[in-house]
RNA sequence: GCCCCCAUCGUCUAGGGGACCAGGACGUAGCCCUUUCAAGGCUAAGACCGGGGUUCGAAUCCCCGUGGGGGCACCA
C-alpha cells in the first residue's frame, strides 16, 4: 500500500509547535515508507484567515526541512490543495449526503441553543422537518446550514494507532454542522471529504480530535468510503502542565529560531516529545529520523516542553557543526566592532561555549570595550591570585610580552608558563591577571593567551597597561 | 454537567508478568581535567498515584478510586 500522509494547517500566520510536530510525524511516516507527504491548506474559516499566512507556512516548512511532494504549488493530481478552492466539491458531497439521509438542512438561528448539559444532542427541531416544509423554507430563501444526522441508537467504534480501540455511544454525538450558511464547509466535513479524495492513508492529527473521530467514521460509512488509519498525537504542554499556546506567550517555531535555536535542533527535540526510538540515542538528524521513525513508538500521554533540554540539544547541534558552518551562523550575531579582529578565530573559541546563537553578543562584548570592573576581579582563590600579586605579575610580564615576535596562542602560552616557572608561580597565577586585564570579565571564551592572540600585541599590551594603572591607583 | 483519553525520577523517556533492590537523558550537586568559563570524563541524590484483585510471581494484566488533560462552536 502506498502511504500518503498530509499536513493540513489553517493559515494563522505562524507555525505552532504542536502543528510542527504533527507535520514532522506525518512527514517522517511518509518518508519511512517511501510514501507521499502532502500539504493542504484548511482555510474554511473566513474570519480567521490571515493574509500572507500561506507564505508563513511555506517558509516554516522549508526552515524545518520538511519538503512536501504535493501541495498548492505542487500539483500531484489530487488538487486543488486549498480548501477554499474546493467549495463545489463539498457542496456536491453535502448534496449526496442529504439525499442519502445522512444529513439535513437546519434553519435555526445561530444563537438557538440545541443542546443542554446532560442532553448534548438531537434537540434540533429541523431534524423532523418534512420535505414540503423544507421546500417552502428553501423557496423563501431562508438561510440554513447542513447538519450531520447522527443515528439515535447504537455506538460507534474506531481504532486508533496509538490509543487503541475507542467506542462511543451515538447518543453522545451531536448533529454537527457540515456546511455553514456562508457556503463554506466546517473542518468536520472538509477533512473527511478531502482525506478520502486525496487518498490519505494515515490521518495524523492532535489528540483533541479524538472525541470527534466517531462522527467522522459515521461520515465515511455513509459514503461507503474506506476508513483511514487514525494516528492521534498526544498534546504538547508546558512544564507547569498548562497548554503550550502562542496566545499565552509561548514561542512558535519561528520564535524559537529567532531565540537562537537551530531548526534542526528544534526538529530533533520535537521528535522526542511523544516518541522514542527505543534506545538511548537522543541526537538525530532529520535524515536519521526518516529511516527509523515508527508510529508504533508514539506515546499516549502528553509531553511537557522543556526549554532546558532543548537548550542542551541545541548546544549539541551547534558543536556538531563544522567551523565553517558555525562561523556562517554566528557572524550575524557579532558586534560590528569585532570586524577589527579575526572573527573566524573568535568563532573557534565561541562554538563550544554557545548554547543559543543569541548568547553570542553578550559573550563577546568585552572585545569591544573592557567594562569598568572592580579590582576584586583580580582575586581568585583557585589561581592563588589577588590584586597585589596581580600588579607584580602584570608589571613583570610586560617586558616579556614586548619581546615576543610570534604572537599566537601556543607561543604565548609557552613563554608565559616558562615565566611562571622561573618566578615560582603556578601557571594559573600568571594567567589569571592577564586574562582579567584583557577582558575585565569573570568568564571569557578562551584563556589569557587565546584572548591575547585575537586582540593582537598592541591592544593586549594597552589593556594590560590599563590594568596596571587601575591596580596602582586602587592599591595606593 | 456529560463523554473520551492519560498516569514510571522535577522534566523527556526505556520497560509490554520473572533479566528491575526499575535503565538512559536534561536539570541539580560533588569530583577529575584545566590558562577563566565552557566542553569532556566520573560519581551522587531522585520515580513505578492509591486500593483491591488475577498469578508461584506485576511497573507491566483486570476493576475501583484519585489526579491530570481533551471534547461537547456556522474554530480548526
Amino acid at each position: 500500500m502506498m502511504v500518503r500522509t498530509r499536513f493540513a494547517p489553517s493559515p494563522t500566520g505562524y507555525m505552532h509547535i504542536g502543528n510542527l510536530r504533527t507535520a514532522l510525524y506525518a512527514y517522517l511516516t511518509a518518508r519511512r515508507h517511501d510514501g507521499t507527504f502532502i500539504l493542504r491548506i484548511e482555510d474554511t474559516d473566513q474570519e480567521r484567515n490571515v493574509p500572507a499566512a500561506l507564505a508563513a507556512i511555506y517558509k516554516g516548512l522549508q526552515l524545518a526541512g520538511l519538503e512536501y511532494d504535493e501541495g498548492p504549488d505542487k500539483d500531484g493530481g489530487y488538487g486543488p490543495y486549498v480548501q477554499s478552492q474546493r467549495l463545489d466539491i463539498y457542496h456536491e458531497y453535502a448534496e449526496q449526503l442529504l439525499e442519502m439521509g445522512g444529513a439535513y438542512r437546519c434553519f435555526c438561528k445561530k444563537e438557538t441553543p440545541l443542546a443542554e448539559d446532560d442532553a448534548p444532542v438531537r434537540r434540533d427541531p429541523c431534524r423532523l422537518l418534512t420535505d414540503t416544509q423544507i421546500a417552502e423554507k428553501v423557496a423563501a430563501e431562508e438561510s440554513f446550514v447542513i447538519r450531520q444526522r447522527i443515528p439515535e441508537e447504537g455506538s460507534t467504534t474506531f481504532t486508533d494507532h496509538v490509543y487503541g480501540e475507542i467506542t462511543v455511544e451515538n447518543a453522545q454525538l451531536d448533529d454537527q454542522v457540515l456546511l455553514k450558511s456562508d457556503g463554506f464547509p466546517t473542518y468536520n466535513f472538509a477533512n473527511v471529504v478531502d482525506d478520502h479524495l486525496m487518498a490519505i492513508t494515515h490521518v495524523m492529527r492532535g489528540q483533541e480530535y479524538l472525541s470527534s473521530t466517531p462522527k467522522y467514521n459515521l461520515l465515511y460509512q455513509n459514503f461507503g468510503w474506506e476508513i483511514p488509519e487514525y494516528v492521534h498525537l498526544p498534546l504538547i504542554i508546558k512544564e507547569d502542565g498548562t497548554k503550550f499556546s502562542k496566545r499565552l506567550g509561548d514561542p512558535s517555531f519561528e520564535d524559537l529560531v529567532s531565540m537562537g535555536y537551530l531548526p534542526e535542533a528544534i526538529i530533533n527535540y520535537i521528535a522526542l516529545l511523544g516518541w522514542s526510538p527505543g534506545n538511548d540515542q537522543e541526537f538525530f538528524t532529520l535524515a536519521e529520523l526518516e529511516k527509523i521513525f515508527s508510529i508504533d513508538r508514539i506515546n499516549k500521554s502528553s509531553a511537557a516542553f522543556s526549554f532546558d533540554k532543548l537548550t542542551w540539544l541545541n548546544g549539541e547541534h551547534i558543536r556538531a557543526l563544522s567551523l565553517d558552518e558555525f562561523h556562517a551562523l554566528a557572524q550575524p550575531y557579532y558586534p560590528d566592532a569585532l570586524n577589527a579582529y579575526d572573527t573566524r578565530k573568535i568563532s573557534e573559541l565561541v562554538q563550544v561555549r554557545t548554547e543559543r546563537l543569541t548568547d553570542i553578543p553578550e559573550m563577546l562584548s568585552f572585545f569591544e570595550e573592557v567594562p569598568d570592573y572592580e579590582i576584586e576581579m583580580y582575586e581568585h582563590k583557585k589561581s592563588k591570585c589577588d590584586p597585589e600579586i596581580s600588579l607584580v605579575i602584570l608589571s613583570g610580564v610586560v617586558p616579556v610580552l614586548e619581546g615576543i615576535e610570534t604572537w599566537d596562542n601556543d607561543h604565548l602560552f609557552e613563554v608565559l608558563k616558562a615565566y611562571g616557572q622561573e618566578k615560582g608561580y603556578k601557571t594559573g597565577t600568571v594567567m589569571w591577571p592577564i586574562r582579567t586585564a584583557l577582558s575585565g570579565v569573570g568568564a571569557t571564551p578562551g584563556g589569557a593567551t587565546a584572548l591575547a592572540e585575537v586582540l593582537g600585541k598592541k591592544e593586549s599590551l594597552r589593556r594590560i597597561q590599563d590594568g596596571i594603572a587601575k591596580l596602582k591607583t586602587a592599591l595606593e
Side-chain angles (χ1 to χ4, degrees):
Chain A
M1 180 186 63
M2 181 66 170
V3 168
R4 289 171 62 84
T5 64
R6 110 259 111 143
F7 173 50
S10 54
T12 54
Y14 57 87
M15 182 79 85
H16 179 89
I17 289 301
N19 284 153
L20 178 63
R21 193 196 52 181
T22 304
L24 175 63
Y25 285 13
Y27 168 86
L28 292 174
T29 301
R31 289 289 167 269
R32 170 71 197 280
H33 298 97
D34 294 314
T36 307
F37 178 56
I38 297 146
L39 172 65
R40 181 174 77 218
I41 307 300
E42 310 225 323
D43 58 345
T44 55
D45 185 356
Q46 290 303 86
E47 284 171 26
R48 293 221 312 202
N49 222 334
V50 176
L54 195 57
I57 291 171
Y58 290 150
K59 199 184 150 216
L61 286 175
Q62 195 194 16
L63 202 57
L66 308 182
E67 201 184 328
Y68 48 90
D69 307 302
E70 295 176 22
D73 54 348
K74 224 172 175 182
D75 188 24
Y78 291 85
Y81 296 87
V82 178
Q83 291 186 327
S84 59
Q85 294 167 18
R86 300 169 63 81
L87 264 27
D88 47 341
I89 298 175
Y90 307 123
H91 282 263
E92 184 192 324
Y93 284 99
E95 200 59 44
Q96 241 185 68
L97 206 55
L98 239 26
E99 281 167 28
M100 297 187 297
Y104 62 94
R105 290 184 179 81
C106 169
F107 298 89
C108 296
K109 295 278 173 289
K110 233 181 212 178
E111 300 74 29
T112 312
L114 299 178
E116 280 169 23
D117 280 356
D118 53 345
V121 288
R122 238 67 45 58
R123 289 298 173 85
D124 191 349
C126 299
R127 224 176 182 250
L128 286 349
L129 254 29
T130 63
D131 288 351
T132 5
Q133 287 174 308
I134 293 169
E136 276 168 21
K137 285 175 180 286
V138 172
E141 290 187 358
E142 278 188 45
S143 93
F144 62 85
V145 300
I146 294 181
R147 287 184 184 275
Q148 180 174 5
R149 186 188 300 273
I150 303 280
E152 321 239 0
E153 309 281 313
S155 61
T156 302
T157 299
F158 68 97
T159 304
D160 181 85
H161 253 290
V162 349
Y163 291 96
E165 193 176 282
I166 295 171
T167 301
V168 177
E169 295 298 316
N170 291 340
Q172 293 299 329
L173 273 20
D174 66 316
D175 284 358
Q176 62 182 352
V177 171
L178 266 20
L179 217 56
K180 307 183 232 180
S181 52
D182 65 359
F184 277 73
T186 59
Y187 166 86
N188 300 315
F189 189 49
N191 93 83
V192 170
V193 171
D194 288 347
D195 283 342
H196 173 257
L197 259 25
M198 294 182 181
I200 302 303
T201 56
H202 294 70
V203 170
M204 305 178 74
R205 53 159 78 117
Q207 191 224 50
E208 63 268 28
Y209 294 101
L210 217 41
S211 49
S212 25
T213 299
K215 291 184 276 194
Y216 307 149
N217 247 30
L218 255 14
L219 247 20
Y220 280 102
Q221 281 165 19
N222 278 324
F223 284 116
W225 293 341
E226 192 185 341
I227 290 164
E229 303 283 338
Y230 290 119
V231 185
H232 286 92
L233 275 20
L235 260 32
I236 294 177
I237 56 176
K238 283 185 284 190
E239 293 201 76
D240 65 4
T242 60
K243 259 207 289 206
F244 199 92
S245 143
K246 174 81 178 165
R247 269 163 300 282
L248 295 173
D250 301 313
S252 65
F253 176 50
E254 296 86 339
D255 291 335
L256 288 174
V257 172
S258 57
M259 285 160 76
Y261 294 103
L262 268 33
E264 53 268 41
I266 301 169
I267 288 291
N268 185 168
Y269 179 67
I270 292 290
L272 264 16
L273 271 186
W275 174 85
S276 119
N279 57 36
D280 287 346
Q281 187 178 349
E282 297 205 281
F283 184 101
F284 290 100
T285 62
L286 222 212
E288 289 173 317
L289 290 170
E290 288 174 24
K291 292 199 189 78
I292 62 165
F293 184 82
S294 148
I295 286 174
D296 300 333
R297 300 200 59 87
I298 296 175
N299 280 312
K300 290 182 173 77
S301 47
S302 38
F305 189 100
S306 161
F307 283 93
D308 277 342
K309 189 144 187 179
L310 170 62
T311 302
W312 165 76
L313 199 52
N314 199 51
E316 293 287 299
H317 278 266
I318 284 176
R319 288 186 286 276
L321 258 24
S322 71
L323 178 57
D324 281 341
E325 290 169 327
F326 177 75
H327 187 54
L329 289 174
Q331 214 149 28
Y333 293 89
Y334 288 171
D336 291 340
L338 255 64
N339 291 330
Y341 303 114
D342 180 352
T343 53
R344 202 184 146 81
K345 203 89 203 171
I346 295 175
S347 287
E348 218 176 313
L349 297 175
V350 156
Q351 180 169 10
V352 72
R353 285 164 248 255
T354 304
E355 288 195 299
R356 286 171 304 200
L357 296 174
T358 44
D359 295 341
I360 292 175
E362 170 67 27
M363 231 189 304
L364 262 27
S365 62
F366 71 88
F367 271 114
E368 277 185 76
E369 195 185 5
V370 176
D372 186 21
Y373 58 97
E374 303 291 317
I375 62 149
E376 279 69 43
M377 206 86 181
Y378 285 98
E379 189 91 47
H380 190 68
K381 248 185 27 219
K382 211 180 110 196
S383 300
K384 295 205 160 105
C385 198
D386 62 36
E388 285 77 14
I389 301 170
S390 293
L391 181 53
V392 175
I393 286 174
L394 288 181
S395 310
V397 110
V398 167
V400 179
L401 293 175
E402 277 172 339
I404 291 182
E405 295 297 326
T406 319
W407 194 267
D408 66 42
N409 177 60
D410 292 350
H411 187 63
L412 285 164
F413 184 68
E414 227 174 274
V415 172
L416 289 171
K417 187 179 178 183
Y419 174 84
Q421 278 169 352
E422 182 195 323
K423 300 284 183 186
Y425 296 120
K426 318 176 34 169
T427 307
T429 315
V430 180
M431 298 299 183
W432 181 264
I434 299 176
R435 209 204 101 261
T436 302
L438 292 179
S439 67
V441 297
T444 49
T449 57
L451 297 188
E453 176 181 336
V454 172
L455 288 166
K457 185 170 178 177
K458 195 175 154 207
E459 177 67 9
S460 296
L461 282 166
R462 192 182 71 74
R463 292 188 179 195
I464 289 171
Q465 292 295 4
D466 285 353
I468 291 172
K470 191 180 190 95
L471 282 164
K472 275 188 177 158
T473 334
L475 293 174
E476 269 162 15

